[in-house]
């Protein structure tokens, strides 16, 4: 089974910043995280668990990537990272960039082809992206927000501010 996540990582956990992110991306899943290695906030794409609002959810999720650089201009002192992770069968690929004040300041998009794939190189990309925003990874590279159950707690879900979009059903209610 694979796991993929796209979203924004920052160390700004202020309520003001969270409210601005909720207004910008009303369907995003937003949650703070902290352990002995890192403390921050992740703003992740809405999970597509049914096809009822497929086009709106996909457009919303694309907007996180497309609007992050201009959004960063609203918080010029903040470093914001866009990170994409795709893991399957123990193999993980990472991609992303870091922006500040409306500019990309570190770009790690684009990857190695499968013949040149190296876990160390991919983990190095992730480390560079997260280090730039002040998040330090442990030696094994474990990053809590990139685990399948991170957003399972109901308090991490953001209720949509759009009246015509319902929050998706949990995956186990997909067929109902």
């Amino acid at each position: 089974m694979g796991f993929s996540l796209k979203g924004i990582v920052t160390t700004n956990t202020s309520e003001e910043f969270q409210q601005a992110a909720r207004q910008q991306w009303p369907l995003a899943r937003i949650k703070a995280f902290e352990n002995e290695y890192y403390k921050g906030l992740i703003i992740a794409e809405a999970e597509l668990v049914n096809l009822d609002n497929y086009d709106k959810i996909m457009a919303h999720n694309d907007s996180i990537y497309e609007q992050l650089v201009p959004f960063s201009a609203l918080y010029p002192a903040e470093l914001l990272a866009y990170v994409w992770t795709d893991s399957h069968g123990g193999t993980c690929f990472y991609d992303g960039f870091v922006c500040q004040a409306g500019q990309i300041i570190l770009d790690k998009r684009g990857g190695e082809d499968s013949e040149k794939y190296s876990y160390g190189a991919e983990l190095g990309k992730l480390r560079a992206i997260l280090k730039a925003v002040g998040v330090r990874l442990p030696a094994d590279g474990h990053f809590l927000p990139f685990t399948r159950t991170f957003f399972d707690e109901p308090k991490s879900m953001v209720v949509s501010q759009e009246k015509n979009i319902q929050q998706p059903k949990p995956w186990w209610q997909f067929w109902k």
Side-chain angles (χ1 to χ4, degrees):
M1 177 183 268
F3 174 76
S4 182
L5 183 79
K6 297 175 186 173
I8 302 165
V9 177
T10 181
T11 56
N12 185 343
T13 60
S14 74
E15 188 58 36
E16 175 196 346
F17 184 81
Q18 290 183 50
Q19 286 298 95
R22 283 184 182 103
Q23 187 171 3
Q24 185 76 26
W25 301 292
L27 298 178
R29 296 174 290 166
I30 301 175
K31 189 173 181 184
F33 56 87
E34 181 176 5
N35 69 15
E36 66 271 19
Y37 293 100
Y38 41 73
K39 177 182 179 182
L41 185 75
I42 187 158
I43 303 162
E45 63 186 359
E47 188 174 21
L48 180 62
V49 292
N50 67 46
L51 301 178
D52 293 344
N53 296 311
Y54 177 84
D55 292 336
K56 287 191 180 213
I57 291 173
M58 295 309 290
H60 175 275
N61 290 347
D62 289 345
S63 76
I64 295 173
Y65 177 83
E66 295 162 356
Q67 297 171 1
L68 179 57
V69 175
F71 180 80
S72 74
L74 302 174
Y75 295 88
E78 299 299 328
L79 292 161
L80 305 174
Y82 181 86
V83 183
W84 167 71
T85 181
D86 187 23
S87 300
H88 50 279
T91 303
C92 297
F93 296 91
Y94 304 103
D95 205 55
F97 62 88
V98 177
C99 59
Q100 182 179 31
Q103 301 289 320
I104 293 176
I105 61 170
L106 176 68
D107 197 343
K108 293 290 185 177
R109 291 175 287 185
E112 304 288 327
D113 64 11
S114 60
E115 292 178 21
K116 296 180 181 178
Y117 170 74
S118 163
Y119 179 72
E122 289 292 315
L123 188 54
K125 284 172 57 174
L126 178 62
R127 283 188 191 285
I129 293 165
L130 294 179
K131 182 180 178 184
V133 296
V135 174
R136 177 176 65 96
L137 289 182
D140 66 2
H142 179 74
F143 187 50
L144 185 62
F146 292 167
T147 55
R148 189 175 314 283
T149 59
F150 181 73
F151 284 104
D152 284 353
E153 294 179 34
K155 66 181 180 181
S156 69
M157 295 300 289
V158 175
V159 177
S160 171
Q161 294 177 359
E162 293 185 34
K163 294 178 182 171
N164 62 342
I165 298 179
Q166 301 275 328
Q167 278 294 332
K169 296 177 186 175
W171 68 269
W172 47 269
Q173 292 184 350
F174 180 72
W175 56 86
K176 290 185 178 182

